[in-house]
Amino acid sequence: MIKRNLLVVGFEISLLFSFVVGYYRGRMLIADKTCAELQVNNSSVICVCNATYCDTVTREEPHPRRFMVYTSSKAGLRFKKFTSILEVFDLLTECSTTLELEPRKRYQTIHGFGGAITDSAAINWSNLKDEELKQNLIESYCGDSGIQYNMLRVPIGGTDFSPRFYTYQDYPERDKDLSNFTLAPEDLNYKLPMIKACMKASNASIDILGSLWYPPAWMKSTKKSNGISFLEEEYYDALALYHLKFIKEYYKQGVPIWGITTTNEPLSGITKHANDNVLGWSVYGLANWIVNYLAPKIKRYDPSIKILGVDDQRFTVPLWFNAALKHVPELGRAIDGIGLHYYENELVPPEIVDRCLKNYPNLFVLSSEASIHSQTNNKVDLGSWDRAEKYIKNIIEDLNHNYTAWIDWNVCLDKMGGPVLSKTYLDSPVIVDPDAGVFYKQPLFYAMGHFSKFIPKGSKRIQSMEKYNCGDPIKHVAFSTPMNTIVVVVFNDKNKEKVVRLKLGYSQAKVLLEKNSIATVEFHNDVIDESCDCEK
């Protein structure tokens, strides 16, 4: 249980609006506001933000011949900064974990990282009545002093994380021209204001990905919003038009759409999960609709808008992509990539995606949704480092298998993990408490930030090979960035410290990893000393 007296009495005392300035080996670092820590049971800490104080993180420009390290840990570190000098690489005879980096060997280009602005998320944000508090949440996600999300997913209509069932044209029915297509109050009063606030706070462009959960009930075989159902074939063109009208209406509101998915979790519409507001498809039906209705209409309007297939769990790729291709071979040219969800990934190796897309190098893959809940207790778990670990491991795994983006689910939820129609409460990186006038940054928030903050759009994954290690392999992923720097994210999931050497040419960054920690390391991509005659 959270001790309320800490919020009331100890909050201002523990902070005093202090800026911590660190000197590490002669280098002064930019001052950041530190985490207002709150210990929760036996978990890790959460960071408390109110209207006048919220922790920040500033990316340091690496100096030549130096490297920067940012560390978060189960023990409570949150983007702790450290800087030191790059050394000449020394080939040791004893075991020493070394990650050998090769920037000339490049893989996928990164689109970005982000989360979803659902009705629930936007309503929770709106419930924070103090405008400064609301802005602190926006800055935490999208500002330069935050984790700098550059992608936001927005539902096309309602979802399970909505206050009610609704679409953009519930009436009149059987109107294939969608003459009454209208954005909902949830868009105009909640989602759009939150999206625009993020766009304003960000110095980079924010890409918006739209996803449909279900169409107007009159288009469905059962005429119901939920339950097992399919789209009536006579409304194939109308549903494509529905997507186009959404794109146009959001553009009128000043929010361009970067891409759309072809239906959220279509498998749920024909399984036990169909009690939610969903839409089911047959394999042929979905492929036929994409190729002959959706893609032509969207691409004629704007060829740059991305169309992402699947938008379902990893194990469904052979169904919604490969099996669909056998029915409609043109599918591989009609879409730009595929979106995959995080759920059940521990049961399905990422290599299945590699194999399925092997013959389609023109297509990219991204993670379009992720969230965590307990099978026995579907509620928020404040301070859970275990949940942060699950995200970290999955993001590293996905990026090492050519994913170009990773998008979380609700950017903020209430203390119950809602509101949600289905009562299937979930956790979130940010939990809001309007009554107390605060919000809490979970370990999940910092887990996301170790990637989103330091791997900007346009970065390219590079080869990183582990050598000279006598222990367990260490999870890591490496990139070259548009700023001509190298960024390496390293995760130590062991309950003891570990030294890792990052080797680039003849130089090395020697990094001490705290126990149960994630570290992001950055240095310039011009450190190779050609005069060095030491061994490679």
Side-chain angles (χ1 to χ4, degrees):
M1 293 292 293
I2 297 173
K3 295 181 180 179
R4 286 293 182 183
N5 63 312
L6 288 176
L7 292 178
V8 177
V9 179
F11 188 83
E12 301 297 340
I13 296 175
S14 66
L15 302 176
L16 297 176
F17 296 85
S18 61
F19 290 81
V20 177
V21 179
Y23 285 81
Y24 297 99
R25 300 188 184 182
R27 166 85 193 284
M28 185 175 74
L29 302 180
I30 297 172
D32 284 318
K33 294 181 180 179
T34 58
C35 167
E37 296 183 8
L38 191 60
Q39 187 73 46
V40 184
N41 294 329
N42 296 318
S43 300
S44 186
V45 302
I46 56 176
C47 300
V48 186
C49 292
N50 66 11
T52 58
Y53 189 95
C54 196
D55 58 290
T56 61
V57 57
T58 306
R59 173 188 168 269
E60 304 273 351
E61 176 65 31
H63 281 208
R65 304 298 304 172
R66 301 188 73 91
F67 64 91
M68 281 297 309
V69 185
Y70 308 80
T71 301
S72 297
S73 68
K74 183 177 182 179
L77 298 180
R78 295 296 180 261
F79 292 129
K80 178 187 176 183
K81 294 179 180 179
F82 175 80
T83 183
S84 190
I85 298 171
L86 289 162
E87 304 170 348
V88 174
F89 178 72
D90 180 20
L91 183 60
L92 302 177
T93 55
E94 68 271 16
C95 295
S96 176
T97 299
T98 300
L99 302 182
E100 194 167 277
L101 309 173
E102 178 47 81
R104 290 166 293 190
K105 181 66 173 178
R106 299 185 175 189
Y107 303 94
Q108 80 274 23
T109 300
I110 295 299
H111 285 112
F113 301 86
I117 307 294
T118 61
D119 291 335
S120 294
I123 289 170
N124 283 321
W125 174 67
S126 181
N127 286 341
L128 299 172
K129 298 306 180 184
D130 190 291
E131 290 301 319
E132 290 299 322
L133 180 59
K134 291 172 67 177
Q135 187 59 30
N136 280 342
L137 196 155
I138 294 296
E139 289 288 340
S140 293
Y141 270 123
C142 300
D144 285 352
S145 62
I147 60 175
Q148 294 180 266
Y149 273 8
N150 75 309
M151 299 190 80
L152 296 174
R153 186 177 182 223
V154 61
I156 302 175
T159 73
D160 46 331
F161 279 84
S162 294
R164 63 190 178 96
F165 290 101
Y166 73 91
T167 70
Y168 295 137
Q169 185 169 320
D170 291 324
Y171 302 99
E173 298 182 355
R174 303 184 64 83
D175 174 14
K176 296 180 181 180
D177 295 326
L178 304 178
S179 58
N180 192 37
F181 186 98
T182 308
L183 293 180
E186 286 82 355
D187 294 275
L188 300 173
N189 299 329
Y190 300 111
K191 287 186 287 191
L192 280 165
M194 191 174 190
I195 292 170
K196 290 179 182 179
C198 281
M199 293 170 67
K200 184 177 180 180
S202 176
N203 283 320
S205 62
I206 291 186
D207 293 331
I208 310 297
L209 179 65
S211 296
L212 175 84
W213 264 246
Y214 62 106
W218 50 267
M219 292 187 185
K220 299 174 69 175
S221 56
T222 59
K223 310 306 178 188
K224 295 180 180 180
S225 296
N226 61 345
I228 294 174
S229 63
F230 298 89
L231 187 73
E232 295 278 14
E233 192 168 354
E234 66 175 303
Y235 296 118
Y236 275 22
D237 189 64
L239 185 59
L241 179 61
Y242 190 87
H243 284 75
L244 180 58
K245 282 181 173 282
F246 162 77
I247 291 169
K248 289 181 176 180
E249 289 300 316
Y250 261 58
Y251 184 80
K252 289 178 184 177
Q253 295 291 329
V255 179
I257 298 299
W258 171 81
I260 57 173
T261 68
T262 55
T263 299
N264 179 77
E265 296 187 355
L267 190 62
S268 294
I270 53 177
T271 65
K272 63 179 181 179
H273 298 292
N275 286 330
D276 291 335
N277 32 7
V278 291
L279 174 65
W281 287 95
S282 68
V283 171
Y284 170 75
L286 181 55
N288 176 36
W289 175 69
I290 295 170
V291 169
N292 295 308
Y293 297 90
L294 181 67
K297 200 174 290 292
I298 300 302
K299 293 297 186 178
R300 275 198 301 267
Y301 171 72
D302 185 348
S304 70
I305 293 175
K306 311 301 181 187
I307 299 177
L308 305 184
V310 185
D311 203 21
D312 212 328
Q313 273 62 266
R314 183 188 283 170
F315 68 83
T316 69
V317 177
L319 176 69
W320 300 123
F321 182 68
N322 299 88
L325 280 166
K326 293 181 179 180
H327 290 288
V328 186
E330 296 84 1
L331 179 64
R333 296 188 297 274
I335 61 177
D336 298 283
I338 63 173
L340 298 180
H341 292 193
Y342 156 94
Y343 318 109
E344 316 299 340
N345 275 1
E346 68 276 8
L347 303 177
V348 184
E351 286 79 11
I352 191 173
V353 181
D354 300 335
R355 290 195 295 269
C356 288
L357 296 181
K358 181 179 180 181
N359 296 324
Y360 298 89
N362 58 307
L363 302 181
F364 62 85
V365 57
L366 57 76
S367 182
S368 51
E369 184 180 314
S371 62
I372 295 181
H373 70 277
S374 168
Q375 295 298 327
T376 57
N377 183 9
N378 296 344
K379 294 184 179 181
V380 169
D381 188 2
L382 285 175
S384 172
W385 184 257
D386 290 341
R387 292 183 173 187
E389 278 199 3
K390 290 179 180 179
Y391 266 34
I392 293 166
K393 291 177 180 179
N394 199 264
I395 295 171
I396 289 176
E397 178 182 80
D398 286 348
L399 292 175
N400 276 316
H401 285 271
N402 296 310
Y403 283 53
T404 66
W406 216 89
I407 303 174
D408 191 27
W409 189 209
N410 300 277
V411 294
C412 62
L413 292 173
D414 63 22
K415 292 182 293 181
M416 285 291 293
V420 55
L421 280 172
S422 63
K423 307 304 178 185
T424 306
Y425 299 102
L426 298 175
D427 215 334
S428 175
V430 169
I431 301 300
V432 303
D433 187 349
D435 293 336
V438 299
F439 63 84
Y440 309 119
K441 293 180 181 177
Q442 294 264 57
L444 284 169
F445 175 87
Y446 299 93
M448 289 292 299
H450 272 274
F451 301 90
S452 62
K453 177 78 178 178
F454 306 101
I455 308 171
K457 184 177 182 178
S459 298
K460 295 181 182 294
R461 183 169 67 87
I462 63 172
Q463 180 176 285
S464 54
M465 298 180 63
E466 187 171 355
K467 294 187 175 182
Y468 319 120
N469 184 12
C470 296
D472 295 329
I474 191 161
K475 293 176 174 58
H476 67 280
V477 65
F479 298 87
S480 62
T481 75
M483 297 87 74
N484 195 35
T485 63
I486 300 295
V487 170
V488 186
V489 182
V490 190
F491 180 53
N492 179 17
D493 61 355
K494 299 295 187 275
N495 197 33
K496 61 181 180 179
E497 295 179 344
K498 187 178 184 69
V499 175
V500 175
R501 300 188 301 165
L502 309 181
K503 178 180 181 292
L504 178 62
Y506 299 117
S507 296
Q508 70 174 14
K510 189 179 294 184
V511 180
L512 174 64
L513 300 179
E514 303 283 347
K515 61 182 181 180
N516 302 119
S517 71
I518 179 173
T520 301
V521 187
E522 184 174 20
F523 46 87
H524 279 288
N525 188 15
D526 55 359
V527 298
I528 298 177
D529 183 1
E530 298 294 350
S531 66
C532 177
D533 59 359
C534 52
E535 290 186 63
K536 293 185 179 180

